[in-house]
């Protein structure tokens, strides 16, 4: 009886081991696919950011180069937004000033017309 239970336990463990091996192979395959996707994404990011820098001396770009390029693009974007905001504020100020000048001109014209 004990020998039979031991054999059954051994058989269950063998099946579990086989299942673990199958899962490990699947995980390794998924890891390989993820690495390929990451490399493809890095290349695409670099091509979008700087087509000439997509390959450096024939070597694939490093993660650090991609990070630096994305950071540079982000900083340039922030600077552009700040400049746009400043220009909008200046435009708003000038439009306000123009309205005041226009109102003053109308007052002067009205006064001249009354004097005539």
């Amino acid at each position: 009886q004990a020998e039979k239970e031991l054999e059954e336990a051994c058989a269950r463990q063998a099946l579990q081991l086989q299942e673990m091996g199958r899962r490990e192979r699947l995980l390794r395959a998924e890891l390989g696919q993820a690495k390929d996707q990451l490399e493809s994404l890095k290349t695409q990011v670099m091509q979008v950011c700087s087509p000439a820098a997509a390959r450096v001396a024939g070597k694939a770009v490093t993660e650090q180069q991609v990070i630096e390029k994305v950071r540079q693009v982000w900083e340039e974007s922030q600077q552009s937004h700040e400049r746009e905001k400043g220009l909008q504020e200046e435009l708003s100020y000038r439009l306000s000033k123009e309205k005041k000048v226009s109102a003053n001109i109308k007052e002067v014209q009205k006064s001249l017309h009354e004097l005539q």
Side-chain angles (χ1 to χ4, degrees):
Q1 178 72 23
E3 186 177 329
K4 186 176 178 180
E5 288 176 6
L6 190 58
E7 286 176 359
E8 288 173 357
C10 234
R12 280 193 305 271
Q13 286 183 343
L15 287 174
Q16 287 176 343
L17 188 59
Q18 286 177 346
E19 179 63 18
M20 288 172 58
R22 187 185 69 77
R23 288 181 185 173
E24 182 181 1
R25 286 188 300 278
L26 285 174
L27 288 173
R28 287 186 187 277
E30 288 176 9
L31 178 61
Q33 290 173 347
K35 284 180 179 180
D36 292 343
Q37 289 174 346
L38 176 60
E39 192 61 38
S40 175
L41 177 62
K42 285 188 333 187
T43 301
Q44 289 175 14
V45 167
M46 288 305 291
Q47 286 173 342
V48 168
C49 295
S50 176
R55 291 215 165 261
V56 179
K59 296 180 182 176
V61 294
T62 65
E63 287 88 353
Q64 189 61 36
Q65 288 170 315
V66 172
I67 290 168
E68 288 302 318
K69 192 64 179 178
V70 168
R71 182 176 291 132
Q72 177 187 355
V73 169
W74 183 81
E75 288 173 356
E76 290 171 0
S77 174
Q78 288 297 108
Q79 290 171 354
S80 294
H81 286 300
E82 290 173 12
R83 179 159 167 69
E84 179 184 4
K85 183 179 175 184
L87 291 172
Q88 286 177 344
E89 289 173 357
E90 184 178 341
L91 179 62
S92 179
Y93 170 76
R94 288 185 182 202
L95 286 173
S96 172
K97 193 172 182 181
E98 184 179 318
K99 284 181 183 178
K100 287 179 184 177
V101 169
S102 181
N104 287 342
I105 289 173
K106 285 182 182 179
E107 285 294 320
V108 169
Q109 287 175 340
K110 182 180 174 186
S111 294
L112 284 174
H113 184 67
E114 288 175 358
L115 285 174
Q116 288 176 350

